[in-house]
């Protein structure tokens, strides 16, 4: 008769490559994926059951017992457990940190699961419709709420979160209750088992869009690359796909790079599927995030829209995963468990037998290569719904037309014409702040960060100079501390460009979009709402201008400076620069007035600049793919970075040499070990960094050699404060 397992192998949130054995007390039944509280050291901690066993290497007298299991059922399904175990192996990361990191923070802290109550839906009444038509609803907020609920504008009823997203307002329950008291709104409590039906789409699909929807193969884990020019209607394709999957009783996971920068997509999803969407991202309060996660786990919300960590949400019967803007580097975690959510989404799709759609106007070279070689299905949207294509990119030679604070005469002339026609101008400069350098022209002194290999940045209206790497700030000197001469502010940032534009166009509304201008909650929504309400206006900002915004009034996009990205030592810098140009260019010409794109560059004859074509991205990046193939770099090879950090340069270099020795000893044929060498940013926040690059044309030699070397170096006695980080498939070598 088989012996019942009475030992639980438990993962703890510790940087250790092992599971911990605990005795299961009599009367307690455990299942893999279940949350438990166990004694650890002198206290207790939260863990997850990974396996059950009948024996243990720990002597019975030393085997401690599980304290309790807060829930009677597992929080993570067997497929999610398998996904996370695969991820921990692939990215060479401790399993306990990967597993516990997949739970909402509140559950890791030991909080109980919340009791869920049905979300109230709000519907406009006939009296509310009359109040809107007759002008009785005079306040801006009142009008926004009632207009969002008008029949034909959105769903017949919306929950508070969806209504807030649709209006761009922070809506408290008491405000909606006030409108209910006036007779304008009616509260509805839906049945969680019968969510409201999706709203009807008023979009007629183009032939390309219909073909893309038909290319989806439900019930399989097949990846589909949806490559569509900017403005081609990828979102409507997503929604049609989701509608089909939901109609079959399965759930949908939307992954978005940054929810704060793609409000239009999340709002459209919420409006299309009212009462069915759970938003999950780090900007939510812990309690709000936990309730959304639990609603998804219980099947009350069958659509999850979230950033990369939402990939690990336990959704019953997952039927579709959509990764929007799959090229965005925000899908790669840059510390701790350094996973790529796009790549693990493909693995989850295979495990769940759910198709994965990777959408972008500018796919990564890896995804494009996989599609052209047949590993991924490939659907293309080559035109916008009106049949137009993105405007051509025109170059302005800054060697001929010298910029004055970033602005050339051809760009200023084009802006004058665009504004006179009643359209908006978007200007992209991917550097925030006022000036990049504070320097002395007399003796050459430069203001540098004392803790990093970086120069301090100057911000307008801030008396302190700031380091963008570590956050160090210090009073901004007016005179050189070496020779006493006045200091000059060199380089261009969005604040300085904004100031120059205000001089050239003093009567034109001017909006700046960068991380400095949207620090406060609601600032981004307010800025986007203002852009929508204006006709002739100038918007200046960093790369967030290119993040999926759809403004039909944009008639001109000016790209101020991209030359640095064309000559960077980083592997993906040129690819990222081209993606940024194409994405920014796609903001122009979405309305009836057409559009122009002007790119200021000192290298108009650069082969990649000459080949710019926002409507044919694959042809544009073909030279990059050829270069990668010749160098056996991704997608024609595989990379890993091993980074060593310590508090002084000598210790860092000494231990980086030891790690490199272990790697060379463990390397088999087909694995190259390059380095160690100082990282491009050698010193950051008082810590020195060296790195070793592993390169192979096949995955197996890379992972096998790295695993053997890691086992060897973990036996070394590293000095306190020395850290070793492994980055598989790095998105940046800097």
């Amino acid at each position: 008769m088989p012996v019942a397992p009475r030992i639980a192998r438990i993962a703890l949130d510790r940087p250790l490559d092992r599971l911990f054995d605990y005795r299961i007390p009599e009367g307690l039944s455990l299942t893999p994926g279940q949350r438990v509280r166990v004694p650890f050291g002198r206290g207790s901690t939260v863990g997850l059951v990974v396996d059950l066993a009948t024996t243990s290497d720990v002597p019975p007298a030393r085997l401690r017992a599980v304290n309790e299991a807060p829930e009677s059922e597992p929080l993570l399904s067997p497929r999610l457990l398998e996904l996370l175990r695969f991820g921990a192996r692939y990215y060479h990361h401790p399993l306990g940190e990967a597993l516990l990191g997949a739970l909402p923070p509140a559950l890791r802290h030991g909080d109980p699961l919340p009791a869920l109550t049905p979300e109230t839906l709000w519907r406009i009444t006939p009296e509310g419709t009359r109040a809107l038509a007759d002008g009785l609803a005079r306040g801006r907020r009142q009008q926004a709420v009632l207009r969002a609920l008008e029949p034909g504008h959105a769903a017949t009823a919306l929950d508070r979160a969806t209504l807030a997203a649709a209006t761009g307002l922070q809506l408290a329950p008491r405000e909606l209750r006030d409108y209910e008291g006036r007779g304008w709104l009616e509260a509805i409590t839906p049945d969680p088992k019968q969510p409201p039906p999706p709203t009807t789409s008023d979009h007629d699909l183009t032939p390309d869009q219909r073909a893309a929807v038909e290319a989806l193969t439900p019930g399989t884990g097949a990846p589909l690359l949806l490559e569509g020019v900017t403005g081609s209607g990828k979102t409507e394709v997503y929604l049609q796909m989701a509608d089909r999957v939901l109609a079959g009783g399965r759930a949908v996971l939307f992954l978005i790079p940054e929810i704060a920068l793609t409000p239009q997509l999340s709002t459209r999803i919420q409006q299309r599927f009212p009462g069915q969407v759970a938003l999950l991202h780090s900007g939510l309060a812990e309690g709000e995030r936990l309730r959304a996660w639990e609603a998804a786990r219980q099947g009350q919300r069958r659509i999850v829209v979230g950033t990369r960590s939402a990939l690990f949400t336990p959704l019953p019967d997952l039927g579709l995963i959509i990764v929007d803007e799959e090229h965005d580097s925000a899908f790669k975690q840059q510390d701790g468990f350094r996973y790529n959510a796009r790549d693990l989404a493909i693995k989850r799709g295979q495990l769940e037998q759910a198709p994965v759609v990777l959408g972008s106007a500018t796919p990564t070279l890896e995804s494009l290569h996989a599609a052209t070689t047949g590993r991924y299905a490939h659907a293309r949207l080559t035109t916008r719904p009106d049949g137009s294509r993105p405007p051509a990119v025109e170059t302005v030679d800054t060697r001929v037309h010298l910029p004055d604070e970033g602005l050339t005469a051809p760009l200023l002339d084009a802006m004058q014409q665009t504004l006179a026609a009643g359209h908006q101008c978007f200007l992209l400069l991917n550097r925030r702040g006022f000036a990049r350098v504070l320097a002395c022209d007399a003796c050459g002194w430069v203001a540098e960060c004392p803790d990093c290999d970086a120069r301090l940045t100057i911000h307008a209206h801030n008396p302190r100079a700031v380091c963008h790497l570590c956050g160090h700030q210090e009073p901004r000197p007016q005179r050189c501390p070496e020779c006493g001469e006045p200091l000059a502010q060199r380089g261009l940032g969005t604040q300085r460009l904004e100031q120059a534009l205000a001089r050239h166009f003093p009567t034109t509304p001017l909006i700046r979009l960068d991380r400095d201008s949207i620090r406060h909650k609601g600032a981004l929504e307010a800025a986007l709402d203002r852009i929508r309400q204006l006709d002739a206006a100038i918007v200046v900002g960093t790369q967030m201008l290119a993040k999926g915004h759809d403004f039909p009034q944009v008639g001109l996009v000016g790209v101020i400076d991209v030359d640095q990205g064309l000559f960077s030592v980083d592997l993906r810098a040129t690819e990222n620069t081209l993606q940024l140009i194409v994405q920014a260019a796609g903001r122009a010409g979405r309305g009836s007035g057409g559009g122009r794109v002007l790119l200021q560059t000192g290298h108009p004859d650069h082969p990649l600049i000459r080949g710019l074509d926002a409507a044919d991205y694959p042809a544009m990046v073909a030279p990059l793919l050829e270069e990668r193939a010749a160098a056996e770099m991704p997608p024609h090879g595989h990379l890993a970075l091993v980074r060593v950090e310590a508090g002084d340069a000598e210790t860092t270099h000494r231990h980086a040499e030891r790690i490199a020795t272990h790697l060379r000893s463990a390397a088999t044929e087909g694995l190259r070990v390059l380095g160690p060498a100082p990282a491009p940013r050698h010193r950051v926040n008082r810590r020195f960094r060296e790195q070793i690059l592993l390169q192979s044309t096949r995955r197996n030699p890379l992972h096998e050699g790295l695993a053997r070397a890691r086992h060897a170096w973990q036996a070394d006695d590293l000095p306190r404060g020395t850290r070793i980080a492994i980055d598989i498939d790095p998105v940046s070598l800097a």
Side-chain angles (χ1 to χ4, degrees):
M1 186 173 180
V3 178
R6 300 307 304 167
I7 294 169
R9 308 202 67 206
I10 294 173
L12 302 180
D13 194 4
R14 298 291 188 275
L16 300 170
D17 278 326
R18 55 165 295 190
L19 300 175
F20 295 83
D21 289 356
Y22 285 87
R23 179 170 49 83
I24 303 174
E26 292 297 328
L28 181 63
S29 177
L30 295 178
T31 305
Q34 201 166 346
R35 188 172 61 137
V36 292
R37 181 168 286 280
V38 295
F40 191 80
R42 296 182 179 180
S44 66
T45 190
V46 171
L48 274 172
V49 178
V50 176
D51 286 317
L52 300 176
T54 56
T55 61
S56 172
D57 293 336
V58 180
R62 295 179 53 196
L63 202 61
R64 305 173 80 177
V66 173
N67 289 344
E68 63 171 339
E71 298 85 30
S72 59
E73 76 276 4
L75 296 183
L76 299 182
S77 68
R79 288 171 179 169
L80 262 182
L81 277 177
E82 188 176 350
L83 174 71
L84 287 158
R85 295 184 80 160
F86 167 83
R89 289 194 307 272
Y90 185 83
Y91 293 102
H92 297 265
H93 193 76
L95 178 59
E97 289 189 339
L99 286 172
L100 274 295
L103 298 179
L107 294 183
R108 297 201 296 271
H109 301 156
D111 292 2
L113 288 173
L116 297 179
T117 56
E119 183 80 24
T120 299
L121 299 182
W122 297 93
R123 180 167 60 195
I124 193 170
T125 64
E127 189 173 341
T129 303
R130 285 193 297 272
L132 187 60
D134 297 343
L136 298 177
R138 295 187 178 89
R140 183 180 68 86
R141 298 176 68 90
Q142 297 171 350
Q143 293 176 6
V145 169
L146 296 180
R147 196 171 291 120
L149 292 169
E150 278 188 296
H153 185 272
T156 54
L158 297 179
D159 60 76
R160 181 169 61 90
T162 306
L163 194 52
T167 58
L169 301 172
Q170 298 292 323
L171 295 173
R174 64 178 179 274
E175 182 175 356
L176 298 178
R177 291 292 178 190
D178 175 59
Y179 300 155
E180 181 187 28
R182 299 180 188 214
W184 296 348
L185 297 184
E186 177 185 5
I188 306 167
T189 303
D191 182 351
K193 297 179 182 179
Q194 294 183 333
T199 58
T200 304
S201 172
D202 57 359
H203 294 272
D204 293 326
L205 295 184
T206 66
D208 280 354
Q209 288 175 318
R210 279 196 298 272
V213 173
E214 295 299 330
L216 192 71
T217 52
T220 72
L224 167 66
L225 176 63
L226 177 60
E227 180 197 346
V229 297
T230 51
S232 59
K234 291 186 292 294
T235 301
E236 185 59 31
V237 173
Y238 298 155
L239 297 176
Q240 295 271 359
M241 290 175 170
D243 200 359
R244 291 189 177 195
V245 170
L246 292 169
R250 303 192 72 181
V252 178
L253 173 62
F254 277 89
L255 293 181
I256 300 176
E258 300 174 71
I259 280 193
L261 300 183
T262 51
Q264 289 175 323
L265 174 59
S266 56
T267 299
R268 280 189 65 182
I269 297 170
Q270 289 174 296
Q271 290 180 326
R272 187 71 159 266
F273 303 103
Q276 299 193 56
V277 180
L279 289 179
L280 284 172
H281 55 92
S282 59
L284 298 173
E286 278 196 12
E288 190 177 3
R289 187 174 179 180
L290 178 57
R291 285 190 296 273
W293 185 89
E294 178 64 0
R297 188 182 76 88
Q298 291 193 15
Q300 290 190 14
R301 299 293 176 104
R302 293 194 299 149
I303 302 175
V304 166
V305 180
T307 48
R308 58 177 177 263
S309 62
L311 171 67
F312 306 119
T313 306
L315 275 162
D317 203 9
L318 179 61
L320 173 64
I321 303 174
I322 295 170
V323 184
D324 186 44
E325 305 294 354
E326 66 89 25
H327 67 277
D328 200 301
S329 62
F331 284 120
K332 182 68 188 283
Q333 176 76 21
Q334 295 294 352
D335 54 17
F337 181 26
R338 289 174 166 81
Y339 67 94
N340 191 314
R342 179 202 62 209
D343 296 343
L344 282 188
I346 293 172
K347 180 65 177 179
R348 185 172 185 183
Q350 294 170 352
L351 295 172
E352 303 267 11
Q353 287 297 286
V356 181
V357 178
L358 308 176
S360 178
T362 54
T364 61
L365 298 190
E366 287 86 344
S367 296
L368 200 58
H369 180 69
T372 54
T373 56
R375 287 196 297 117
Y376 296 174
H378 194 185
R380 296 191 68 188
L381 309 178
T382 57
T383 63
R384 292 172 172 176
D386 62 2
S388 67
R389 294 161 72 88
V393 179
E394 309 168 44
T395 58
V396 177
D397 190 342
T398 54
R399 298 169 303 179
V400 177
H401 304 281
L402 299 179
D404 178 14
E405 292 193 286
L407 300 168
T408 60
L411 178 59
L412 288 170
D413 290 343
M415 291 180 66
Q416 289 279 13
Q417 296 169 17
T418 302
L419 295 170
H423 296 301
Q424 295 173 349
C425 302
F426 272 27
L427 298 187
L428 172 70
L429 175 63
N430 205 23
R431 287 190 297 271
R432 61 191 178 96
F434 185 84
R436 300 177 66 196
V437 179
L438 187 64
C440 177
D441 292 338
C443 70
W445 177 88
V446 176
E448 296 183 333
C449 176
D451 302 328
C452 303
D453 291 335
R455 292 171 173 174
L456 298 178
T457 300
I458 306 305
H459 287 253
H461 313 300
N462 185 351
R464 304 175 71 82
V466 181
C467 174
H468 283 175
L469 289 184
C470 71
H472 169 83
Q473 297 188 25
E474 61 184 52
R476 185 201 313 175
Q478 300 301 313
R479 292 187 171 274
C480 177
E482 298 290 336
C483 68
E485 290 296 313
L487 293 173
Q489 297 178 1
R490 303 296 183 197
L492 188 67
T494 49
Q495 291 178 340
R496 191 168 195 165
L497 181 60
E498 178 188 31
Q499 191 177 91
L501 289 165
R503 288 198 301 272
H504 285 284
F505 305 96
T507 62
T508 302
L510 181 57
I511 301 167
R512 176 166 52 86
L513 273 183
D514 58 25
R515 295 206 178 275
D516 297 316
S517 68
I518 62 165
R519 288 187 186 278
H520 303 296
K521 191 170 183 178
L524 175 63
E525 291 80 2
L528 297 178
D529 187 51
R530 188 176 173 218
I531 294 171
R532 292 188 194 99
Q533 293 175 5
L534 292 169
D535 291 327
I538 300 171
V539 183
V540 57
T542 55
Q543 61 179 336
M544 63 177 60
L545 281 185
K547 295 272 187 173
H549 304 301
D550 184 8
F551 298 113
Q553 286 298 99
V554 180
L556 172 70
V557 169
V559 185
I560 301 301
D561 178 23
V562 293
D563 289 347
Q564 183 178 0
L566 295 174
F567 301 98
S568 171
V569 297
D570 193 35
L571 170 69
R572 301 182 193 274
T574 304
E575 177 188 358
N576 295 340
T577 298
L578 295 178
Q579 288 169 339
L580 183 61
I581 293 171
V582 173
Q583 292 284 344
R587 303 312 111 197
R590 295 191 175 207
S592 58
R596 295 181 67 188
V597 180
L598 294 185
L599 171 65
Q600 296 186 162
T601 174
H603 303 276
D605 295 326
H606 190 288
L608 292 174
I609 295 295
R610 287 204 313 269
L612 275 175
D613 183 355
D616 195 354
Y617 179 75
M620 191 175 77
V621 297
L624 285 182
L625 278 167
E626 292 175 4
E627 289 178 8
R628 299 275 187 91
E632 296 184 340
M633 287 289 184
H636 300 279
H638 306 282
L639 299 178
L641 269 182
V642 179
R643 293 187 177 95
V644 182
E645 287 188 16
D648 65 88
E650 182 182 349
T651 300
T652 304
H653 182 69
R654 183 171 66 251
H655 286 285
E657 289 281 8
R658 289 174 64 182
I659 298 300
T661 300
H662 286 309
L663 285 164
R664 291 190 174 92
S665 299
T668 56
E669 185 178 354
L671 176 62
R672 297 176 63 198
V673 180
L674 306 175
R681 293 170 177 168
H682 189 207
R683 184 171 56 112
V684 176
N685 203 12
R686 302 183 186 179
R687 295 182 62 81
F688 292 83
R689 312 188 309 167
E690 295 214 3
Q691 56 192 34
I692 304 146
L693 181 66
L694 308 183
Q695 180 186 11
S696 176
T697 56
R698 296 180 295 120
R699 290 190 192 276
N700 284 348
L702 188 149
H703 285 279
E704 290 169 2
L706 185 53
R708 284 193 293 270
R710 183 171 172 238
H711 181 75
W713 80 57
Q714 285 178 336
D716 290 348
D717 186 19
L718 293 177
R720 188 178 182 86
T722 302
R723 301 178 196 150
I724 301 173
I726 298 172
D727 191 356
I728 305 294
D729 303 329
V731 297
S732 171
L733 302 185

